[in-house]
Amino acid sequence: MIKLRHIVKRDNRKMPFDEHKITACIEKVFTAVNGEGNVDRLLPITLTLEVLKKLDAQYGAGEFTVENVQDLVEEVLIEGGYTKAAKSYILYRNKRTHIREARSELMDAVAEIVKETSRSNANVGHSPSAKVLQISEAASKNYYLNRVLPPEQAQAHLEGDMHIHDLSWYGKTLTCIQIPLGRMLKDGFSNGHGFIKSPKSIRTAAALAAIILQSNQNDMHGGQSFGFFDRDLSHFVEVEYARQERLLQSSLGDLKLTGAKDKDVSELIEKRTYEETYQAMEGFIYNLNTMHSRAGAQVPFSSVNLGTDTSRGGRMITECFLKAYASGLGRGETPMFPNVCFKVKDGINTEPEDPNYDLLQIAMHTACKRLMPTFSFQDATFNAMYDDEVGYMGCRTRVIANINGPQVTDGRGNLSFSTINLPRLGIRAKQDMPDFWKRLDEILDFTIKQLLTRYDVQKNLKVRDFPFLMGQKLYVDSEKLGMDDKIEPAAKHGTLSVGFIGLAECLVALTGKHHGENPGSQALGISIISHMRRRCDEASQKHSMNITLLATPAEELAGRLLRSDFEKFGAIAGVTDKKWYTNSFHVPVEYKITALEKIATEGPYHKYCNAGHISYVELVSAPDTNIEVFEDLIRAMGEADMGYAAINFPVDICKECGQNGLINENNCTRCSSDNISRVRRITGYLSTLDRFNDSKKAEESNREKHEV
């Protein structure tokens, strides 16, 4: 007598046992193998009885699970000699297990998001829209991992050998772009509900610039940047001069003024134009900190480049923008966006006799108060050939050389990037350098193949999939495409980037010391990164694509990869014994080193990372009372052949009274409020500490201040 009564389901529920489900399952297996109508109807019943006998013998009246039953079905099929059916059943079972695990992981991720918005990106807020966006991203990531990516690529990502960035957007869009602002404002554009004509005032031009950034953010997952903010808006300052002259002449009637009176009129026009430009820049900054994109989940991840336009209009844009940024928001808060990249160039703004040297001074004073601008060096050996054409994004992205067309910044961006886990290579090599180089080449080949696999999906998207980015002809050569055309002719001008993290920890694993503490490790570090760049250049020629090397901006990744390696290898001193991996080629933040030593150590790496790079020095507080120190650091960065750099220090702002500076206490020293915003730089852009993930919080708290 069969004593079986209940079965334990996978969610631990006890359910009445139904033997007919076994029969139905076995019948489906034989149908799949032999085809419909070719199955002996008694065979599934006979095999079911064999399964029941084994269950009775093993469990009797005791409990058993779904997995126990499935194990015995496999056993009966194999013992009966039904090899094809057994194989089919095993494959089916594995597939169902994989689907269940994927669903379970997805539901776990959703549960975490519903409980607290993910902090993988410090620019994503905590609103209901942000949660819905992140739930959809979790589902999308799950789909791509389990249904689209080749299994070996999904496995490499999941196991932490490398990391595919923005995986939830894998086959939907591209990463970022430098937007041709001047052309769009002069020609006009449509954001979907009607055509916007060229503006007739600087205020309108600035408002439309913010709308352009917001509109395109909905088409992409990465940054939106203006490479020539001063140059592109200079025309509209001249438009404003003309408008003010018309307004004044209209108010004066036909009265013709000469001599001193003409001078008075000219000064009045100048004053009014300046006031309008300042208000336009203030409004632009306000808009970029309040206008939300991506269903309200975040403000646009925006950047502006300025500093080298010497025209009357360009200089006024730069001056007014910097002064408005320094003034802050309504209660004195530091603007989080846009990222500001001030271009430093000899003959333009580096010496007192240069036409824009005064703007560099304003930029440094602004940075001492607001952490922005950052500084890009147009005369670096790898930038100088492009004059002042090189624009950066606040997260460090750089796009300029082009194997498929014009070497320009405007209208181009990164398509996607993936990061190699360098510390893991160092750990596995066990100080065997030939083994390390072999492993490095293998993962480089693998990562480049993964980027090209993704590009094969991206290039087949159509113009209509990007109503603003491609539909409004922002990308180079997109003007040649119709709405139903594939985007490949435009997308080929973008970049595919191989990133890396944790050079410092990799060097410790290989040599016992990182590059900040040992010249031999520094030499090895440069050899590793230069080798990676050389391999990227070779791949560019081979595949006729812009394959570049990126000093990865790692937020959530800095902790994710370390946790993965800690689980695999345990605590390794100087490698996995903390909560984060050091970003890209940086000297570890906790290592005591002077500012000039850090600059000299990191400078040589910039030229190899043609997809983007950034270096920082950390100060105790802003050198606002000694601007010469700030300028000395900027000059040292340029002399070290850096392309892009910034100076960090704490910026604390009381949200009640607006006190700005370093507030070490929990309460404001002016009004005693505990409502204090603590602004810090994270992977290039600004955010508040409460939005940092746990790994980056730990990293920030361990940042050693560099003596000047």
Side-chain angles (χ1 to χ4, degrees):
M1 173 68 68
I2 302 297
K3 303 173 183 177
L4 307 173
R5 292 291 181 269
H6 293 90
I7 186 170
V8 180
K9 306 291 280 186
R10 290 185 177 85
D11 59 4
N12 292 321
R13 289 179 300 151
K14 291 183 180 180
M15 301 292 290
F17 176 68
D18 184 357
E19 63 191 61
H20 296 96
K21 290 185 177 180
I22 299 176
T23 305
C25 176
I26 294 174
E27 186 172 1
K28 286 181 181 179
V29 169
F30 279 98
T31 298
V33 172
N34 300 326
E36 191 73 35
N38 295 319
V39 180
D40 181 351
R41 298 188 64 182
L42 292 177
L43 182 59
I45 297 173
T46 302
L47 294 174
T48 299
L49 289 173
E50 291 298 318
V51 173
L52 292 176
K53 289 178 183 178
K54 287 179 177 289
L55 279 170
D56 186 45
Q58 291 187 31
Y59 302 103
E63 292 184 351
F64 57 92
T65 66
V66 172
E67 293 292 334
N68 297 145
V69 174
Q70 291 182 342
D71 288 343
L72 292 176
V73 170
E74 278 187 29
E75 189 177 308
V76 166
L77 289 172
I78 293 170
E79 289 177 350
Y82 303 106
T83 307
K84 290 184 178 180
K87 182 178 180 181
S88 176
Y89 181 72
I90 291 169
L91 291 173
Y92 169 78
R93 185 182 176 186
N94 288 339
K95 181 179 179 181
R96 296 296 299 172
T97 299
H98 188 64
I99 292 171
R100 281 193 302 273
E101 288 174 349
R103 286 175 177 170
S104 177
E105 290 171 3
L106 174 59
M107 291 303 101
D108 289 344
V110 170
E112 283 298 310
I113 292 167
V114 170
K115 182 172 64 176
E116 178 182 3
T117 303
S118 167
R119 289 174 292 162
S120 61
N121 184 329
N123 184 34
V124 175
H126 300 275
S127 68
S129 294
K131 288 183 170 64
V132 170
L133 173 69
Q134 291 192 343
I135 289 170
S136 70
E137 286 187 342
S140 181
K141 179 179 178 181
N142 185 279
Y143 167 75
Y144 285 119
L145 279 172
N146 292 289
R147 299 290 187 88
V148 176
L149 266 70
E152 67 277 8
Q153 293 181 13
Q155 183 178 3
H157 172 88
L158 290 170
E159 293 188 356
D161 292 331
M162 48 82 71
H163 179 87
I164 303 171
H165 289 267
D166 302 293
L167 186 53
S168 56
W169 301 83
Y170 181 91
K172 298 183 181 73
T173 186
L174 318 177
T175 299
C176 57
I177 187 175
Q178 294 276 7
I179 297 173
L181 175 63
R183 175 173 63 77
M184 294 196 71
L185 289 179
K186 287 181 181 179
D187 295 348
F189 62 92
S190 173
N191 69 347
H193 298 286
F195 187 77
I196 309 298
K197 62 183 181 181
S198 184
K200 302 301 181 184
S201 71
I202 187 60
R203 282 209 203 195
T204 304
L208 291 178
I211 289 171
I212 288 169
L213 289 168
Q214 181 194 39
S215 297
N216 202 59
Q217 184 72 81
N218 289 313
D219 276 10
M220 310 187 83
H221 60 72
Q224 314 303 310
S225 181
F226 295 140
F228 307 93
F229 189 65
D230 47 359
R231 186 189 73 187
D232 289 348
L233 285 180
S234 63
H235 167 76
F236 298 96
V237 174
E238 297 302 327
V239 168
E240 189 62 41
Y241 271 109
R243 190 176 80 92
Q244 291 300 328
E245 184 175 7
R246 288 195 305 272
L247 290 172
L248 189 58
Q249 290 295 340
S250 176
S251 66
L252 293 173
D254 294 328
L255 182 62
K256 301 294 183 182
L257 301 177
T258 60
K261 290 185 177 180
D262 280 345
K263 180 181 178 182
D264 291 341
V265 171
S266 178
E267 289 177 350
L268 187 56
I269 292 171
E270 180 78 20
K271 179 182 176 182
R272 289 184 176 181
T273 301
Y274 188 93
E275 289 175 350
E276 285 295 307
T277 302
Y278 182 89
Q279 292 296 320
M281 295 300 98
E282 184 178 61
F284 177 76
I285 293 167
Y286 276 29
N287 279 335
L288 290 182
N289 286 274
T290 56
M291 294 172 63
H292 283 74
S293 59
R294 291 196 194 163
Q298 66 181 82
V299 296
F301 194 104
S302 54
S303 300
V304 299
N305 292 257
L306 42 70
T308 54
D309 192 298
T310 59
S311 70
R312 175 174 69 167
R315 282 178 45 78
M316 188 175 289
I317 288 294
T318 299
E319 179 179 340
C320 289
F321 176 89
L322 291 172
K323 289 183 175 179
Y325 196 97
S327 294
L329 302 178
R331 291 185 177 177
E333 304 97 328
T334 291
M336 298 295 105
F337 289 99
N339 294 297
V340 189
C341 310
F342 189 91
K343 296 181 176 181
V344 179
K345 184 164 180 60
D346 290 345
I348 300 294
N349 52 32
T350 60
E351 300 297 335
E353 62 271 18
D354 291 344
N356 284 2
Y357 182 72
D358 59 329
L359 298 181
L360 174 64
Q361 299 299 306
I362 296 172
M364 291 188 295
H365 281 286
T366 302
C368 280
K369 188 174 184 180
R370 302 296 183 187
L371 289 170
M372 288 287 180
T374 51
F375 297 86
S376 66
F377 301 95
Q378 301 297 301
D379 294 309
T381 56
F382 44 89
N383 286 338
M385 67 189 77
Y386 304 108
D387 194 23
D388 69 341
E389 176 70 20
V390 179
Y392 285 82
M393 297 189 188
C395 61
R396 77 196 63 189
T397 302
R398 172 186 181 272
V399 176
I400 183 67
N402 187 3
I403 200 170
N404 289 317
Q407 299 189 103
V408 296
T409 289
D410 266 357
R412 300 177 60 220
N414 181 250
L415 303 171
S416 67
F417 65 103
S418 297
T419 291
I420 291 171
N421 183 350
L422 284 182
R424 180 172 293 185
L425 298 181
I427 294 168
R428 284 180 167 163
K430 298 178 180 179
Q431 300 188 337
D432 180 340
M433 289 310 302
D435 183 64
F436 171 79
W437 291 113
K438 178 176 177 291
R439 291 177 183 274
L440 179 59
D441 277 334
E442 287 173 350
I443 195 65
L444 279 166
D445 289 340
F446 184 90
T447 303
I448 291 168
K449 181 179 179 181
Q450 180 272 310
L451 289 166
L452 292 168
T453 301
R454 185 172 186 174
Y455 179 64
D456 284 341
V457 178
Q458 292 173 314
K459 72 182 183 184
N460 287 310
L461 294 168
K462 295 185 177 180
V463 170
R464 66 173 59 258
D465 294 320
F466 305 88
F468 199 82
L469 174 66
M470 297 292 177
Q472 294 306 301
K473 317 304 181 187
L474 274 65
Y475 227 92
V476 169
D477 279 350
S478 60
E479 70 276 6
K480 302 174 182 178
L481 305 177
M483 292 301 289
D484 289 318
D485 289 336
K486 295 178 180 179
I487 67 169
E488 182 178 10
K492 69 181 182 182
H493 296 292
T495 60
L496 299 171
S497 299
V498 176
F500 63 93
I501 188 174
L503 175 66
E505 288 79 13
C506 176
L507 291 171
V508 172
L510 290 172
T511 71
K513 294 183 182 297
H514 60 70
H515 51 316
E517 56 187 345
N518 181 268
S521 295
Q522 168 75 335
L524 177 58
I526 292 173
S527 294
I528 291 170
I529 303 307
S530 63
H531 178 81
M532 294 177 72
R533 167 62 185 278
R534 187 163 54 251
R535 291 296 314 281
C536 288
D537 289 348
E538 291 168 358
S540 294
Q541 295 297 324
K542 178 179 179 180
H543 300 287
S544 297
M545 283 297 298
N546 297 305
I547 298 173
T548 53
L549 184 64
L550 175 68
T552 293
E555 283 188 48
E556 183 268 342
L557 181 63
R560 174 186 175 253
L561 293 185
L562 183 135
R563 289 191 298 272
S564 177
D565 286 347
F566 180 84
E567 291 173 2
K568 288 180 180 293
F569 308 110
I572 302 172
V575 183
T576 61
D577 59 345
K578 53 187 177 181
K579 290 187 176 181
W580 69 93
Y581 274 149
T582 302
N583 253 323
S584 63
F585 53 71
H586 291 173
V587 173
V589 299
E590 68 275 16
Y591 181 65
K592 190 172 183 62
I593 189 173
T594 69
L596 294 180
E597 288 171 340
K598 187 173 192 290
I599 290 168
T601 302
E602 295 183 6
Y605 293 94
H606 282 231
K607 62 176 171 286
Y608 299 115
C609 302
N610 56 337
H613 39 248
I614 194 169
S615 286
Y616 317 106
V617 295
E618 297 281 338
L619 304 183
V620 174
S621 60
D624 50 348
T625 59
N626 190 357
I627 202 69
E628 291 80 10
V629 169
F630 197 105
E631 186 166 354
D632 287 344
L633 289 172
I634 295 300
R635 291 185 183 280
M637 289 169 168
E639 290 167 1
D641 206 27
M642 287 185 171
Y644 187 46
I647 297 173
N648 293 345
F649 41 81
V651 173
D652 302 325
I653 304 121
C654 175
K655 290 188 175 181
E656 299 300 325
C657 71
Q659 181 179 357
N660 185 95
L662 178 60
I663 305 175
N664 285 323
E665 295 79 8
N666 292 327
N667 296 81
C668 175
T669 55
R670 180 190 294 172
C671 70
S672 299
S673 170
D674 63 356
N675 190 11
I676 298 172
S677 173
R678 302 190 184 276
V679 178
R680 305 292 186 269
R681 199 183 313 276
I682 180 171
T683 63
Y685 67 101
L686 301 185
S687 187
T688 52
L689 274 176
D690 60 296
R691 289 195 173 192
F692 281 31
N693 62 53
D694 291 342
S695 295
K696 297 307 283 186
K697 279 184 178 178
E699 181 254 281
E700 190 279 335
S701 68
N702 281 274
R703 290 178 184 175
E704 180 73 29
K705 302 302 185 285
H706 304 125
E707 293 183 6
V708 179

